Amino acid sequence: MSHWYHQIGLPTPSGSLQEDIDADVCIVGGGLTGLWTAYYLARADPSLRIVVLEAEFVGFGASGRNGGWLSAELAGSRSNYAAGHGGVEGANRLARELSASVDEVIAMCGEEGIDADIVKGGVVFAATSAAQLARMEDELAAHAQNPDSSVRRLDAAEVQARVQVVGARGGTFDPQCARVQPAKLVQGLASVVRNLGVSIYEQSRVVSLRAGSASTGEGSVRAPIVLRCLEGYTSSIPGERRTWLPMNSAMIATQPLGASVWEEIGWQGRELLGDFSNAYFYAQRTADDRIAIGGRGIPYRFGSRTDVDGQTQEWTIQSLRAVLHRTFPAVSSAEIEHAWCGVLAVPRDWCASVSLDRATGLGWAGGYVGSGLTATNLAGRTLRDLVIGHDTDLTSLPWTNRKVKRWEPEPLRWLGVRGMYGLYREADRREAAGLNAPSRLARFADAISGR
Ligand SMILES: Cc1cc2nc3c(=O)[nH]c(=O)nc-3n(C[C@H](O)[C@H](O)[C@H](O)COP(=O)(O)OP(=O)(O)OC[C@H]3O[C@@H](n4cnc5c(N)ncnc54)[C@H](O)[C@@H]3O)c2cc1C
Protein backbone atom coordinates (compact mmCIF):
# COMPACT_ATOMS: atom_id res chain seq x y z
CA MET A 1 0.00 0.00 0.00
CA SER A 2 1.23 3.55 -0.66
CA HIS A 3 2.59 5.74 2.09
CA TRP A 4 -0.29 8.11 1.30
CA TYR A 5 -2.97 5.59 2.29
CA HIS A 6 -0.93 4.25 5.21
CA GLN A 7 -1.07 7.79 6.51
CA ILE A 8 -4.82 8.38 6.20
CA GLY A 9 -6.16 4.79 6.19
CA LEU A 10 -7.87 3.01 3.32
CA PRO A 11 -11.44 4.19 2.77
CA THR A 12 -14.35 1.82 3.24
CA PRO A 13 -15.96 1.49 -0.19
CA SER A 14 -19.55 2.67 -0.47
CA GLY A 15 -22.23 0.48 -2.02
CA SER A 16 -21.92 -1.04 -5.48
CA LEU A 17 -24.35 -0.67 -8.37
CA GLN A 18 -26.94 -3.46 -8.13
CA GLU A 19 -29.68 -2.23 -10.46
CA ASP A 20 -30.35 -0.44 -13.74
CA ILE A 21 -30.59 3.31 -13.33
CA ASP A 22 -30.89 6.42 -15.50
CA ALA A 23 -28.63 9.45 -15.38
CA ASP A 24 -27.74 12.49 -17.44
CA VAL A 25 -24.00 11.83 -17.29
CA CYS A 26 -22.25 8.57 -16.45
CA ILE A 27 -18.55 8.84 -15.55
CA VAL A 28 -16.54 5.62 -15.64
CA GLY A 29 -13.51 5.78 -13.31
CA GLY A 30 -13.27 7.48 -9.93
CA GLY A 31 -9.84 9.08 -10.21
CA LEU A 32 -9.16 12.79 -10.43
CA THR A 33 -10.31 13.00 -14.07
CA GLY A 34 -13.71 11.55 -13.22
CA LEU A 35 -14.05 13.45 -9.95
CA TRP A 36 -13.00 16.87 -11.29
CA THR A 37 -15.41 16.37 -14.19
CA ALA A 38 -18.23 15.48 -11.78
CA TYR A 39 -17.32 18.42 -9.55
CA TYR A 40 -17.39 21.07 -12.28
CA LEU A 41 -20.51 19.61 -13.91
CA ALA A 42 -22.39 19.55 -10.60
CA ARG A 43 -21.32 23.12 -9.85
CA ALA A 44 -22.30 24.29 -13.36
CA ASP A 45 -25.72 22.62 -13.35
CA PRO A 46 -26.92 21.25 -9.99
CA SER A 47 -29.95 19.68 -11.69
CA LEU A 48 -27.77 17.19 -13.63
CA ARG A 49 -28.01 13.55 -12.48
CA ILE A 50 -24.36 12.50 -12.43
CA VAL A 51 -23.19 8.97 -11.64
CA VAL A 52 -19.58 7.84 -11.12
CA LEU A 53 -18.79 4.12 -11.46
CA GLU A 54 -15.53 3.01 -9.82
CA ALA A 55 -14.12 -0.54 -9.90
CA GLU A 56 -12.50 -0.44 -6.44
CA PHE A 57 -12.72 2.76 -4.37
CA VAL A 58 -12.32 6.35 -5.52
CA GLY A 59 -8.65 7.25 -5.67
CA PHE A 60 -7.60 3.59 -6.01
CA GLY A 61 -5.57 4.30 -9.18
CA ALA A 62 -2.78 6.72 -10.01
CA SER A 63 -4.69 9.62 -8.44
CA GLY A 64 -4.13 8.17 -4.96
CA ARG A 65 -0.63 6.82 -5.54
CA ASN A 66 1.34 9.51 -7.38
CA GLY A 67 4.37 11.61 -6.51
CA GLY A 68 2.32 14.64 -5.51
CA TRP A 69 3.82 16.99 -8.07
CA LEU A 70 1.09 19.50 -8.85
CA SER A 71 3.08 20.82 -11.77
CA ALA A 72 2.59 22.81 -14.94
CA GLU A 73 4.34 20.15 -17.00
CA LEU A 74 2.54 19.19 -20.20
CA ALA A 75 2.57 15.57 -21.41
CA GLY A 76 4.36 15.14 -24.73
CA SER A 77 5.96 17.61 -27.08
CA ARG A 78 4.56 21.06 -27.73
CA SER A 79 5.19 20.64 -31.45
CA ASN A 80 2.69 17.75 -31.52
CA TYR A 81 -0.03 19.98 -30.03
CA ALA A 82 1.03 22.86 -32.31
CA ALA A 83 0.51 20.59 -35.31
CA GLY A 84 -3.20 20.40 -34.41
CA HIS A 85 -5.88 23.08 -34.49
CA GLY A 86 -4.71 26.39 -33.03
CA GLY A 87 -1.10 26.02 -34.18
CA VAL A 88 1.75 27.35 -32.03
CA GLU A 89 -0.50 29.87 -30.26
CA GLY A 90 -2.91 27.04 -29.41
CA ALA A 91 -0.09 25.01 -27.87
CA ASN A 92 1.08 28.06 -25.91
CA ARG A 93 -2.49 28.63 -24.71
CA LEU A 94 -2.71 25.02 -23.52
CA ALA A 95 0.53 25.46 -21.58
CA ARG A 96 -0.80 28.69 -20.02
CA GLU A 97 -4.10 27.05 -19.03
CA LEU A 98 -2.22 24.17 -17.47
CA SER A 99 -0.01 26.52 -15.51
CA ALA A 100 -3.07 28.43 -14.27
CA SER A 101 -4.62 25.09 -13.27
CA VAL A 102 -1.95 24.66 -10.58
CA ASP A 103 -3.43 27.73 -8.88
CA GLU A 104 -6.98 26.61 -9.68
CA VAL A 105 -6.46 23.32 -7.78
CA ILE A 106 -4.91 25.14 -4.82
CA ALA A 107 -7.78 27.66 -4.80
CA MET A 108 -10.47 24.95 -5.05
CA CYS A 109 -8.89 23.03 -2.17
CA GLY A 110 -8.95 26.25 -0.12
CA GLU A 111 -12.58 27.02 -1.00
CA GLU A 112 -13.83 23.47 -0.46
CA GLY A 113 -11.85 22.87 2.74
CA ILE A 114 -9.66 20.08 1.31
CA ASP A 115 -6.45 19.76 3.36
CA ALA A 116 -3.94 17.97 1.11
CA ASP A 117 -0.67 19.19 2.70
CA ILE A 118 -0.22 21.58 -0.22
CA VAL A 119 2.92 23.73 -0.27
CA LYS A 120 3.66 25.75 -3.39
CA GLY A 121 7.45 25.62 -3.12
CA GLY A 122 8.24 25.20 -6.83
CA VAL A 123 10.27 22.45 -8.49
CA VAL A 124 14.04 22.01 -8.69
CA PHE A 125 15.65 19.81 -11.33
CA ALA A 126 19.30 19.02 -10.60
CA ALA A 127 21.90 18.06 -13.23
CA THR A 128 24.64 15.79 -11.90
CA SER A 129 26.77 15.04 -14.99
CA ALA A 130 28.07 16.81 -18.07
CA ALA A 131 25.48 15.00 -20.19
CA GLN A 132 22.66 16.02 -17.84
CA LEU A 133 23.91 19.61 -17.98
CA ALA A 134 23.78 19.48 -21.79
CA ARG A 135 20.20 18.14 -21.63
CA MET A 136 19.32 20.92 -19.20
CA GLU A 137 20.70 23.53 -21.62
CA ASP A 138 18.48 22.10 -24.38
CA GLU A 139 15.46 22.40 -22.11
CA LEU A 140 16.34 25.94 -21.08
CA ALA A 141 16.69 26.87 -24.76
CA ALA A 142 13.20 25.46 -25.39
CA HIS A 143 11.81 27.42 -22.43
CA ALA A 144 13.45 30.59 -23.78
CA GLN A 145 11.21 30.26 -26.87
CA ASN A 146 8.15 30.37 -24.66
CA PRO A 147 7.33 33.87 -23.41
CA ASP A 148 5.18 32.48 -20.56
CA SER A 149 7.76 30.10 -19.12
CA SER A 150 8.64 30.69 -15.48
CA VAL A 151 11.56 28.23 -15.53
CA ARG A 152 14.96 29.71 -14.65
CA ARG A 153 18.52 28.48 -14.37
CA LEU A 154 20.20 27.67 -11.04
CA ASP A 155 23.95 27.39 -10.65
CA ALA A 156 25.40 24.59 -8.54
CA ALA A 157 25.46 26.73 -5.38
CA GLU A 158 21.84 27.77 -5.87
CA VAL A 159 20.75 24.14 -6.19
CA GLN A 160 22.70 23.22 -3.04
CA ALA A 161 21.23 26.20 -1.16
CA ARG A 162 17.80 24.69 -1.75
CA VAL A 163 18.51 20.95 -1.64
CA GLN A 164 21.92 19.34 -1.05
CA VAL A 165 21.91 16.98 -4.03
CA VAL A 166 25.26 15.20 -4.19
CA GLY A 167 27.20 16.10 -7.33
CA ALA A 168 24.74 18.77 -8.54
CA ARG A 169 26.49 20.90 -11.17
CA GLY A 170 23.53 23.12 -11.90
CA GLY A 171 19.80 22.95 -12.27
CA THR A 172 16.54 24.71 -12.99
CA PHE A 173 13.76 26.12 -10.84
CA ASP A 174 10.11 26.64 -11.70
CA PRO A 175 7.99 28.32 -9.00
CA GLN A 176 4.78 27.06 -10.64
CA CYS A 177 4.60 23.70 -8.85
CA ALA A 178 3.16 22.56 -5.52
CA ARG A 179 3.63 19.56 -3.24
CA VAL A 180 0.49 17.55 -2.54
CA GLN A 181 -0.48 14.48 -0.49
CA PRO A 182 -2.34 12.72 -3.33
CA ALA A 183 -4.63 10.47 -1.30
CA LYS A 184 -5.79 13.41 0.80
CA LEU A 185 -6.52 15.38 -2.37
CA VAL A 186 -8.53 12.68 -4.11
CA GLN A 187 -10.43 11.57 -0.98
CA GLY A 188 -11.17 15.20 -0.09
CA LEU A 189 -12.46 15.89 -3.59
CA ALA A 190 -14.61 12.72 -3.52
CA SER A 191 -16.38 13.85 -0.36
CA VAL A 192 -16.99 17.33 -1.82
CA VAL A 193 -18.42 15.70 -4.95
CA ARG A 194 -20.69 13.42 -2.88
CA ASN A 195 -21.93 16.45 -0.94
CA LEU A 196 -22.86 18.09 -4.24
CA GLY A 197 -25.27 15.22 -4.88
CA VAL A 198 -23.21 13.12 -7.30
CA SER A 199 -23.89 9.37 -6.91
CA ILE A 200 -20.62 7.45 -6.57
CA TYR A 201 -20.83 3.66 -6.80
CA GLU A 202 -17.65 1.86 -5.71
CA GLN A 203 -16.71 -1.80 -6.27
CA SER A 204 -18.57 -1.34 -9.54
CA ARG A 205 -16.29 -2.43 -12.38
CA VAL A 206 -17.62 -1.53 -15.80
CA VAL A 207 -17.36 -4.46 -18.19
CA SER A 208 -19.15 -2.93 -21.14
CA LEU A 209 -19.16 0.68 -22.17
CA ARG A 210 -21.02 1.91 -25.23
CA ALA A 211 -23.06 4.85 -26.48
CA GLY A 212 -25.93 5.39 -24.03
CA SER A 213 -24.86 2.97 -21.30
CA ALA A 214 -22.20 1.50 -19.03
CA SER A 215 -22.74 -1.86 -17.41
CA THR A 216 -21.06 -3.69 -14.53
CA GLY A 217 -22.83 -6.98 -15.07
CA GLU A 218 -24.85 -6.46 -11.87
CA GLY A 219 -26.32 -3.16 -12.90
CA SER A 220 -26.14 -0.54 -15.58
CA VAL A 221 -26.40 3.20 -16.04
CA ARG A 222 -28.34 4.48 -19.03
CA ALA A 223 -27.17 7.99 -19.90
CA PRO A 224 -26.95 10.11 -23.06
CA ILE A 225 -23.37 11.04 -22.04
CA VAL A 226 -20.87 8.34 -21.03
CA LEU A 227 -17.33 9.46 -20.17
CA ARG A 228 -14.36 7.10 -20.03
CA CYS A 229 -11.95 8.36 -17.35
CA LEU A 230 -9.76 5.28 -16.86
CA GLU A 231 -6.22 6.41 -17.75
CA GLY A 232 -3.85 3.44 -17.21
CA TYR A 233 -6.81 1.03 -16.93
CA THR A 234 -8.31 1.98 -20.30
CA SER A 235 -6.87 -1.16 -21.91
CA SER A 236 -9.10 -3.36 -19.73
CA ILE A 237 -12.21 -2.15 -21.58
CA PRO A 238 -13.17 -4.30 -24.59
CA GLY A 239 -12.06 -2.59 -27.79
CA GLU A 240 -9.59 -0.24 -26.03
CA ARG A 241 -6.62 -2.59 -25.52
CA ARG A 242 -4.31 -0.67 -27.87
CA THR A 243 -5.67 2.85 -27.24
CA TRP A 244 -3.19 3.85 -24.52
CA LEU A 245 -0.28 1.89 -23.11
CA PRO A 246 -0.41 1.32 -19.32
CA MET A 247 3.03 2.40 -18.05
CA ASN A 248 4.16 1.51 -14.60
CA SER A 249 5.70 3.98 -12.15
CA ALA A 250 6.93 3.06 -8.67
CA MET A 251 7.73 4.87 -5.45
CA ILE A 252 9.36 4.29 -2.09
CA ALA A 253 9.11 6.37 1.10
CA THR A 254 11.62 6.50 3.94
CA GLN A 255 10.79 6.60 7.60
CA PRO A 256 10.37 10.15 8.99
CA LEU A 257 13.85 11.69 9.02
CA GLY A 258 15.31 13.49 12.04
CA ALA A 259 16.43 17.11 12.33
CA SER A 260 20.14 16.24 11.89
CA VAL A 261 19.43 14.66 8.48
CA TRP A 262 17.44 17.69 7.35
CA GLU A 263 20.24 19.99 8.48
CA GLU A 264 22.50 18.11 6.10
CA ILE A 265 20.03 18.00 3.19
CA GLY A 266 18.36 21.39 3.55
CA TRP A 267 15.11 21.21 1.52
CA GLN A 268 13.44 23.78 3.77
CA GLY A 269 11.28 25.13 0.92
CA ARG A 270 9.52 21.76 0.30
CA GLU A 271 10.31 22.06 -3.41
CA LEU A 272 9.58 19.07 -5.61
CA LEU A 273 12.86 17.55 -6.81
CA GLY A 274 13.84 15.77 -10.03
CA ASP A 275 16.89 15.21 -12.20
CA PHE A 276 17.88 15.26 -15.87
CA SER A 277 18.68 11.56 -16.29
CA ASN A 278 16.88 9.63 -19.02
CA ALA A 279 15.18 7.25 -16.57
CA TYR A 280 14.52 10.26 -14.33
CA PHE A 281 13.47 10.31 -10.67
CA TYR A 282 10.85 12.51 -8.96
CA ALA A 283 10.80 13.22 -5.24
CA GLN A 284 9.14 15.22 -2.50
CA ARG A 285 9.74 15.97 1.18
CA THR A 286 6.48 14.86 2.75
CA ALA A 287 4.54 16.75 5.40
CA ASP A 288 5.72 14.20 7.98
CA ASP A 289 9.37 14.65 6.94
CA ARG A 290 10.00 11.57 4.84
CA ILE A 291 11.51 11.47 1.40
CA ALA A 292 9.15 9.91 -1.14
CA ILE A 293 10.95 9.17 -4.39
CA GLY A 294 9.73 7.55 -7.58
CA GLY A 295 10.92 6.32 -10.95
CA ARG A 296 10.05 3.95 -13.73
CA GLY A 297 10.80 0.45 -12.29
CA ILE A 298 9.61 -2.35 -14.59
CA PRO A 299 7.89 -0.06 -17.11
CA TYR A 300 5.38 -2.32 -18.83
CA ARG A 301 3.76 -5.71 -18.43
CA PHE A 302 3.12 -7.92 -21.46
CA GLY A 303 -0.40 -7.63 -22.86
CA SER A 304 -1.10 -4.27 -21.14
CA ARG A 305 -1.60 -5.95 -17.76
CA THR A 306 -1.61 -3.74 -14.66
CA ASP A 307 -0.27 -4.30 -11.14
CA VAL A 308 -2.15 -5.99 -8.30
CA ASP A 309 -3.02 -3.43 -5.59
CA GLY A 310 0.20 -1.49 -6.14
CA GLN A 311 2.57 -4.33 -5.19
CA THR A 312 6.01 -3.67 -6.64
CA GLN A 313 9.00 -5.88 -7.34
CA GLU A 314 12.10 -6.10 -5.12
CA TRP A 315 14.26 -5.14 -8.13
CA THR A 316 12.39 -1.84 -8.45
CA ILE A 317 12.65 -1.10 -4.74
CA GLN A 318 16.40 -1.75 -4.81
CA SER A 319 16.95 0.49 -7.83
CA LEU A 320 14.96 3.37 -6.26
CA ARG A 321 16.87 2.88 -3.01
CA ALA A 322 20.14 3.16 -4.97
CA VAL A 323 19.01 6.46 -6.54
CA LEU A 324 17.98 7.77 -3.10
CA HIS A 325 21.30 6.86 -1.48
CA ARG A 326 23.33 8.24 -4.37
CA THR A 327 21.43 11.53 -4.17
CA PHE A 328 21.33 11.78 -0.37
CA PRO A 329 24.01 9.68 1.39
CA ALA A 330 22.72 11.13 4.68
CA VAL A 331 19.67 8.83 4.46
CA SER A 332 21.52 5.60 3.71
CA SER A 333 20.73 4.14 7.12
CA ALA A 334 17.05 5.20 7.04
CA GLU A 335 14.40 2.50 6.73
CA ILE A 336 12.36 2.29 3.54
CA GLU A 337 8.93 1.94 5.11
CA HIS A 338 6.69 1.85 2.05
CA ALA A 339 6.97 0.83 -1.60
CA TRP A 340 4.22 0.83 -4.19
CA CYS A 341 3.50 1.31 -7.87
CA GLY A 342 0.70 2.36 -10.18
CA VAL A 343 -0.15 2.85 -13.83
CA LEU A 344 -0.33 5.90 -16.01
CA ALA A 345 -1.41 6.02 -19.65
CA VAL A 346 0.84 6.66 -22.63
CA PRO A 347 -0.79 7.49 -25.98
CA ARG A 348 1.15 6.53 -29.13
CA ASP A 349 2.32 10.15 -29.58
CA TRP A 350 2.75 10.75 -25.80
CA CYS A 351 0.23 13.65 -25.85
CA ALA A 352 -2.96 13.93 -23.77
CA SER A 353 -6.46 14.41 -25.17
CA VAL A 354 -9.99 15.36 -24.12
CA SER A 355 -12.88 14.41 -26.34
CA LEU A 356 -16.64 14.20 -26.69
CA ASP A 357 -18.38 12.80 -29.74
CA ARG A 358 -21.63 14.74 -29.88
CA ALA A 359 -23.24 12.15 -32.15
CA THR A 360 -22.76 9.21 -29.74
CA GLY A 361 -22.38 11.02 -26.41
CA LEU A 362 -19.18 9.07 -25.75
CA GLY A 363 -16.24 11.01 -24.36
CA TRP A 364 -12.95 10.60 -22.55
CA ALA A 365 -9.97 12.43 -21.10
CA GLY A 366 -6.48 11.24 -20.31
CA GLY A 367 -3.19 10.03 -21.72
CA TYR A 368 -1.33 12.43 -19.44
CA VAL A 369 1.76 10.17 -19.27
CA GLY A 370 3.41 11.12 -15.94
CA SER A 371 1.90 14.59 -15.65
CA GLY A 372 -1.76 14.20 -14.79
CA LEU A 373 -2.18 15.69 -11.37
CA THR A 374 -2.80 19.20 -12.69
CA ALA A 375 -4.00 18.15 -16.15
CA THR A 376 -6.94 16.18 -14.70
CA ASN A 377 -8.33 19.46 -13.38
CA LEU A 378 -8.07 21.21 -16.75
CA ALA A 379 -9.49 18.11 -18.44
CA GLY A 380 -12.43 18.08 -16.00
CA ARG A 381 -13.29 21.68 -16.79
CA THR A 382 -12.92 21.01 -20.52
CA LEU A 383 -15.23 17.98 -20.35
CA ARG A 384 -17.73 20.11 -18.41
CA ASP A 385 -17.87 22.64 -21.25
CA LEU A 386 -18.07 19.92 -23.90
CA VAL A 387 -20.91 18.13 -22.06
CA ILE A 388 -22.86 21.32 -21.43
CA GLY A 389 -22.34 22.27 -25.07
CA HIS A 390 -20.61 25.59 -24.56
CA ASP A 391 -17.89 26.59 -27.00
CA THR A 392 -15.31 28.12 -24.69
CA ASP A 393 -11.61 28.91 -24.58
CA LEU A 394 -11.14 25.45 -23.10
CA THR A 395 -13.03 23.50 -25.77
CA SER A 396 -10.85 25.07 -28.46
CA LEU A 397 -7.56 24.01 -26.83
CA PRO A 398 -5.47 21.82 -29.14
CA TRP A 399 -5.78 18.71 -26.95
CA THR A 400 -9.57 18.71 -27.52
CA ASN A 401 -10.89 16.08 -29.95
CA ARG A 402 -7.37 15.04 -31.06
CA LYS A 403 -7.13 11.84 -33.04
CA VAL A 404 -4.24 9.61 -31.96
CA LYS A 405 -3.19 6.38 -33.61
CA ARG A 406 -3.25 3.16 -31.63
CA TRP A 407 -0.31 1.17 -30.26
CA GLU A 408 1.05 -1.83 -32.13
CA PRO A 409 -0.20 -5.33 -31.24
CA GLU A 410 1.89 -7.60 -28.98
CA PRO A 411 4.68 -8.61 -28.87
CA LEU A 412 5.71 -5.31 -30.52
CA ARG A 413 4.43 -3.13 -27.64
CA TRP A 414 6.30 -5.15 -25.06
CA LEU A 415 9.51 -5.33 -27.10
CA GLY A 416 9.35 -1.60 -27.90
CA VAL A 417 8.89 -0.40 -24.32
CA ARG A 418 11.39 -2.87 -22.93
CA GLY A 419 13.92 -1.82 -25.56
CA MET A 420 13.29 1.86 -24.91
CA TYR A 421 13.90 1.66 -21.15
CA GLY A 422 16.89 -0.69 -21.64
CA LEU A 423 18.41 2.00 -23.87
CA TYR A 424 17.61 4.78 -21.35
CA ARG A 425 19.30 2.85 -18.54
CA GLU A 426 22.36 2.12 -20.64
CA ALA A 427 22.47 5.79 -21.72
CA ASP A 428 22.33 6.87 -18.05
CA ARG A 429 25.11 4.42 -17.16
CA ARG A 430 27.35 5.80 -19.92
CA GLU A 431 26.54 9.40 -19.03
CA ALA A 432 27.29 8.83 -15.33
CA ALA A 433 30.59 7.21 -16.34
CA GLY A 434 31.74 10.51 -17.84
CA LEU A 435 30.22 10.99 -21.30
CA ASN A 436 30.38 14.71 -22.13
CA ALA A 437 27.16 14.88 -24.14
CA PRO A 438 23.77 13.12 -23.92
CA SER A 439 24.14 9.54 -25.10
CA ARG A 440 22.83 8.88 -28.61
CA LEU A 441 21.16 5.77 -27.24
CA ALA A 442 18.61 7.99 -25.48
CA ARG A 443 17.81 9.84 -28.72
CA PHE A 444 17.41 6.52 -30.48
CA ALA A 445 15.05 5.36 -27.71
CA ASP A 446 12.99 8.56 -28.12
CA ALA A 447 12.83 7.99 -31.86
CA ILE A 448 11.63 4.37 -31.68
CA SER A 449 9.04 5.15 -29.03
CA GLY A 450 7.60 8.14 -30.89
CA ARG A 451 8.19 10.36 -27.87
C1 LIG B 1 3.44 6.17 -9.18
C2 LIG B 1 2.90 7.35 -9.96
C3 LIG B 1 3.42 8.62 -9.73
C4 LIG B 1 2.90 9.72 -10.42
N1 LIG B 1 3.34 10.96 -10.08
C5 LIG B 1 2.77 12.05 -10.64
C6 LIG B 1 3.10 13.35 -10.20
O1 LIG B 1 3.87 13.53 -9.25
N2 LIG B 1 2.54 14.41 -10.84
C7 LIG B 1 1.66 14.23 -11.86
O2 LIG B 1 1.22 15.23 -12.46
N3 LIG B 1 1.25 13.01 -12.26
C8 LIG B 1 1.77 11.91 -11.66
N4 LIG B 1 1.35 10.67 -12.02
C9 LIG B 1 0.25 10.56 -12.99
C10 LIG B 1 -1.09 10.94 -12.33
O3 LIG B 1 -1.21 10.33 -11.09
C11 LIG B 1 -2.23 10.50 -13.26
O4 LIG B 1 -2.04 11.09 -14.52
C12 LIG B 1 -3.62 10.91 -12.77
O5 LIG B 1 -3.80 10.59 -11.42
C13 LIG B 1 -4.66 10.24 -13.64
O6 LIG B 1 -5.94 10.36 -13.04
P1 LIG B 1 -7.17 9.59 -13.68
O7 LIG B 1 -8.33 9.89 -12.87
O8 LIG B 1 -7.22 9.89 -15.13
O9 LIG B 1 -6.76 8.05 -13.57
P2 LIG B 1 -6.75 7.11 -12.26
O10 LIG B 1 -6.44 7.86 -11.04
O11 LIG B 1 -5.88 5.92 -12.58
O12 LIG B 1 -8.26 6.66 -12.12
C14 LIG B 1 -8.85 5.65 -12.91
C15 LIG B 1 -9.84 4.93 -12.01
O13 LIG B 1 -10.59 4.01 -12.80
C16 LIG B 1 -10.85 2.87 -12.01
N5 LIG B 1 -11.17 1.76 -12.92
C17 LIG B 1 -10.32 0.95 -13.59
N6 LIG B 1 -11.02 0.09 -14.37
C18 LIG B 1 -12.33 0.38 -14.19
C19 LIG B 1 -13.53 -0.14 -14.72
N7 LIG B 1 -13.52 -1.12 -15.64
N8 LIG B 1 -14.71 0.38 -14.30
C20 LIG B 1 -14.74 1.40 -13.39
N9 LIG B 1 -13.63 1.92 -12.86
C21 LIG B 1 -12.44 1.44 -13.26
C22 LIG B 1 -9.57 2.67 -11.23
O14 LIG B 1 -9.77 1.87 -10.07
C23 LIG B 1 -9.18 4.10 -10.92
O15 LIG B 1 -9.64 4.53 -9.66
C24 LIG B 1 1.86 9.53 -11.38
C25 LIG B 1 1.34 8.26 -11.62
C26 LIG B 1 1.85 7.16 -10.91
C27 LIG B 1 1.28 5.79 -11.17
Side-chain angles (χ1 to χ4, degrees):
M1 197 204 307
S2 69
H3 160 63
W4 316 123
Y5 278 116
H6 265 284
Q7 197 177 39
I8 63 168
L10 279 178
T12 310
S14 58
S16 62
L17 183 71
Q18 300 284 348
E19 57 187 340
D20 296 342
I21 58 173
D22 291 300
D24 297 308
V25 182
C26 175
I27 295 171
V28 181
L32 286 170
T33 301
L35 293 173
W36 280 124
T37 305
Y39 173 80
Y40 287 109
L41 275 171
R43 278 262 176 251
D45 182 352
S47 72
L48 280 178
R49 293 167 304 162
I50 305 165
V51 172
V52 176
L53 297 177
E54 162 56 49
E56 304 284 346
F57 55 82
V58 288
F60 169 82
S63 298
R65 305 185 197 186
N66 59 66
W69 284 41
L70 188 65
S71 89
E73 206 170 68
L74 182 61
S77 86
R78 245 180 215 232
S79 53
N80 274 352
Y81 296 106
H85 53 87
V88 173
E89 179 40 31
N92 288 344
R93 211 157 55 76
L94 176 59
R96 276 200 296 277
E97 289 289 355
L98 199 59
S99 177
S101 302
V102 172
D103 298 319
E104 166 76 10
V105 173
I106 297 172
M108 296 316 301
C109 287
E111 275 168 40
E112 299 291 358
I114 299 172
D115 177 3
D117 297 339
I118 297 179
V119 177
K120 192 178 174 193
V123 56
V124 171
F125 283 92
T128 56
S129 67
Q132 288 195 27
L133 272 180
R135 200 169 295 115
M136 176 185 104
E137 290 303 334
D138 287 350
E139 287 197 15
L140 282 167
H143 282 293
Q145 303 296 314
N146 167 17
D148 305 308
S149 173
S150 48
V151 176
R152 60 181 170 83
R153 180 195 304 276
L154 299 179
D155 63 26
E158 288 170 318
V159 173
Q160 304 290 9
R162 289 179 179 274
V163 194
Q164 291 277 344
V165 173
V166 166
R169 300 190 187 186
T172 61
F173 178 71
D174 184 354
Q176 197 56 358
C177 189
R179 181 203 71 186
V180 169
Q181 207 281 30
K184 287 189 179 180
L185 174 64
V186 70
Q187 292 303 325
L189 180 60
S191 70
V192 170
V193 164
R194 282 191 176 101
N195 288 340
L196 289 173
V198 172
S199 305
I200 300 181
Y201 293 91
E202 296 178 295
Q203 296 186 318
S204 302
R205 181 177 301 279
V206 168
V207 291
S208 131
L209 186 160
R210 53 173 179 269
S213 80
S215 166
T216 67
E218 293 180 349
S220 68
V221 181
R222 280 181 303 263
I225 304 284
V226 179
L227 304 175
R228 197 187 76 218
C229 301
L230 295 172
E231 193 62 354
Y233 303 95
T234 303
S235 58
S236 66
I237 295 290
E240 306 292 349
R241 182 158 288 254
R242 287 163 51 202
T243 304
W244 294 332
L245 185 140
M247 181 82 83
N248 191 60
S249 197
M251 296 196 73
I252 56 173
T254 65
Q255 66 184 104
L257 303 170
S260 60
V261 175
W262 290 115
E263 262 162 41
E264 224 171 291
I265 297 177
W267 214 340
Q268 297 303 319
R270 272 63 175 177
E271 300 90 342
L272 286 312
L273 177 72
D275 71 347
F276 285 97
S277 62
N278 295 295
Y280 58 87
F281 77 78
Y282 51 91
Q284 70 154 272
R285 176 176 175 176
T286 66
D288 59 352
D289 277 341
R290 301 162 193 266
I291 295 177
I293 183 167
R296 200 51 86 216
I298 304 272
Y300 174 71
R301 292 176 166 86
F302 190 88
S304 294
R305 281 181 295 120
T306 53
D307 59 89
V308 177
D309 292 339
Q311 290 165 33
T312 192
Q313 312 87 347
E314 192 52 36
W315 177 87
T316 303
I317 298 171
Q318 293 308 335
S319 66
L320 287 173
R321 190 198 299 261
V323 175
L324 174 71
H325 292 175
R326 195 166 61 232
T327 312
F328 301 116
V331 303
S332 45
S333 59
E335 292 286 319
I336 303 301
E337 289 196 342
H338 307 293
W340 68 96
C341 67
V343 274
L344 41 97
V346 182
R348 189 65 184 87
D349 67 354
W350 297 70
C351 291
S353 54
V354 182
S355 205
L356 178 69
D357 178 349
R358 286 197 199 283
T360 61
L362 281 171
W364 76 80
Y368 316 109
V369 192
S371 310
L373 200 46
T374 308
T376 49
N377 177 276
L378 183 58
R381 284 182 283 133
T382 310
L383 276 177
R384 169 201 60 197
D385 292 352
L386 289 170
V387 167
I388 288 180
H390 289 163
D391 290 332
T392 64
D393 286 349
L394 299 188
T395 58
S396 64
L397 288 172
W399 71 350
T400 312
N401 294 327
R402 287 180 69 240
K403 297 272 177 292
V404 184
K405 76 175 188 184
R406 287 148 64 84
W407 283 91
E408 290 76 3
E410 296 290 24
L412 294 177
R413 287 204 298 287
W414 185 77
L415 288 171
V417 180
R418 208 179 140 85
M420 177 179 76
Y421 276 95
L423 289 168
Y424 282 154
R425 285 202 189 92
E426 179 57 20
D428 282 335
R429 203 187 56 73
R430 292 186 187 186
E431 291 176 4
L435 210 62
N436 274 328
S439 163
R440 288 205 198 111
L441 291 179
R443 295 220 174 117
F444 180 57
D446 285 345
I448 57 168
S449 64
R451 201 167 184 174

